Amino acid sequence: MTTNLIYGASIRGDVENALSLCAMVVTDNNVAELYPNLAANAFVIPAGEKSKSLETLTAILTEMDARGLKRTDRIAALGGGVVGDVVGLAASLYMRGIDWVVIPTTLLAMVDSCIGGKTAIDMFGAKNLIGSFHAPAHVVISYDFLETLYSEDWLCGYGEIIKTCLLTEKSYNLLLGSIDGMISYDRKIVYELIEKCIEIKNAVVNADPTEKRMRKILNVGHTVGHALEVLDGYKSSHGEYVLKGIMTECAMCKDLVDPEYYEQIISLCKRFVAPPRTTSGSVIKRAVRDKKNDGENITVMLPISAGEVVELHISQADFAPRYDRAIKELKKA
């Protein structure tokens, strides 16, 4: 669990203080260019999903050793979800685990990946296949970083905001009243959504740190979403694939979803993304390797009404026709 969590606007001093207490900072080339003062003397990795690799992990560990980091030292992740995932994994491995600090610079990382201690790299054609649970000792979420994001970065974060707000009735109602503000990048509305997502994810993670029970609800939209992401070569953002996953999985299991809620979800997702075009055969080949699966079945976390999520285990034989029907329906709607 995170022991120290700070968030808000105009907290540059907290960011600088957190970095000053670390023996090493890791960031990506985009962040290093935008914030050279914060990234001074940082170890810089290439931006993008391709850096969630064994090669990058090895490079970070090699640098930690070269700089003489000790077990009592801290390492900082300054960047988005990719930087946080791979740095957190390096911290969990170095000398059997050292403390790490995460300072998210993207909306996606602020509302999702910086909280909870999930660390990972992609391997063997599967997303987040190799990883660990290693919660950061300190998280500083400064909204000021949002000012340098591109529109696609906002959309990526919106995917996880929408997913998280499906998890409680109160947050879902907040979301429904916030869509126009999200589209217009209204800072006051987005800040309120960020704080609601932090509140929800922190509560879920504290209740189930290693995803044995309750924490599984955070995987809404991720079974199909992750499969589409890998198949598409990460051409779009993670949040976009999550939204495609949400609408597809709901359409696949429409018989279980409250009708009015279903129409709202599909309409909501389509405000931001189009339905996927990937075939069921390709998706199944990836989905069967998902970490959440139960034996030969494919596990889906399905939102069925506001604040209610159920865990489904769909056989491969049943998955394909459900997927194909869903795609046809989503294209017609």
Side-chain angles (χ1 to χ4, degrees):
M1 296 186 295
T2 302
T3 57
N4 195 353
L5 172 62
I6 300 172
Y7 53 90
S10 303
I11 56 171
R12 180 66 173 262
D14 293 288
V15 171
E16 293 173 346
N17 181 62
L19 292 174
S20 71
L21 298 176
C22 295
M24 177 175 161
V25 176
V26 179
T27 191
D28 66 36
N29 57 289
N30 288 340
V31 177
E33 183 176 346
L34 289 167
Y35 302 99
N37 292 336
L38 295 179
N41 301 314
F43 183 71
V44 181
I45 65 175
E49 188 73 21
K50 289 185 178 179
S51 282
K52 283 179 61 172
S53 66
L54 183 60
E55 291 75 18
T56 303
L57 175 65
T58 301
I60 293 172
L61 291 168
T62 301
E63 185 69 12
M64 292 168 75
D65 177 65
R67 296 194 186 195
L69 267 67
K70 303 179 292 296
R71 202 170 194 176
T72 53
D73 285 328
R74 287 183 171 187
I75 183 173
L78 174 67
V82 169
V83 173
D85 281 358
V86 69
V87 170
L89 182 55
S92 75
L93 296 172
Y94 188 78
M95 294 188 175
R96 295 198 177 101
I98 66 171
D99 282 348
W100 67 297
V101 172
V102 58
I103 300 172
T105 59
T106 65
L107 181 57
L108 172 66
M110 291 179 190
V111 300
D112 183 57
S113 62
C114 76
I115 298 172
K118 272 188 175 182
T119 75
I121 57 172
D122 306 332
M123 283 190 70
F124 312 124
K127 188 173 172 70
N128 299 329
L129 186 66
I130 306 299
S132 66
F133 289 97
H134 186 52
H138 196 174
V139 178
V140 182
I141 302 173
S142 172
Y143 305 158
D144 298 344
F145 286 114
L146 298 177
E147 300 310 315
T148 55
L149 297 185
Y150 294 107
S151 58
E152 56 265 32
D153 299 313
W154 284 88
L155 178 56
C156 181
Y158 285 170
E160 285 289 349
I161 285 176
I162 291 170
K163 178 215 75 177
T164 304
C165 286
L166 299 181
L167 304 183
T168 74
E169 185 173 3
K170 184 176 180 180
S171 60
Y172 180 64
N173 290 331
L174 172 65
L175 174 67
L176 292 181
S178 303
I179 299 303
D180 290 341
M182 292 169 68
I183 291 173
S184 64
Y185 307 109
D186 185 304
R187 299 301 192 266
K188 182 179 179 181
I189 287 175
V190 173
Y191 293 171
E192 185 178 7
L193 289 168
I194 291 172
E195 291 173 9
K196 176 56 67 174
C197 289
I198 291 172
E199 174 190 321
I200 292 171
K201 184 158 189 186
N202 219 18
V204 170
V205 167
N206 286 338
D208 182 17
T210 56
E211 202 176 277
K212 302 296 184 184
R213 303 171 305 280
M214 181 182 179
R215 188 170 177 173
K216 292 181 181 180
I217 65 174
L218 297 172
N219 290 307
V220 166
H222 280 61
T223 298
V224 169
H226 274 172
L228 294 173
E229 195 169 7
V230 174
L231 289 167
D232 205 27
Y234 308 100
K235 291 178 182 177
S236 298
S237 70
H238 171 71
E240 292 173 81
Y241 291 113
V242 169
L243 290 175
K244 289 175 182 285
I246 290 172
M247 72 162 71
T248 304
E249 291 171 9
C250 283
M252 287 173 64
C253 305
K254 184 179 179 181
D255 52 314
L256 301 175
V257 183
D258 175 81
E260 182 180 357
Y261 181 73
Y262 173 80
E263 295 299 332
Q264 289 176 339
I265 292 295
I266 300 304
S267 175
L268 178 60
C269 290
K270 284 190 172 184
R271 293 287 296 272
F272 298 96
V273 298
R277 299 181 178 180
T278 313
T279 63
S280 59
S282 299
V283 170
I284 285 177
K285 287 180 181 178
R286 297 295 177 181
V288 294
R289 303 185 66 190
D290 193 279
K291 301 180 298 301
K292 302 181 294 297
N293 289 341
D294 174 26
E296 296 298 315
N297 295 325
I298 297 172
T299 299
V300 168
M301 302 305 298
L302 181 71
I304 60 172
S305 64
E308 185 175 4
V309 177
V310 296
E311 181 175 355
L312 302 179
H313 304 286
I314 306 173
S315 69
Q316 294 180 43
D318 191 28
F319 189 96
R322 282 183 177 271
Y323 181 91
D324 291 334
R325 285 196 302 269
I327 298 303
K328 288 181 181 179
E329 177 166 333
L330 291 172
K331 288 180 179 178
K332 289 179 182 178

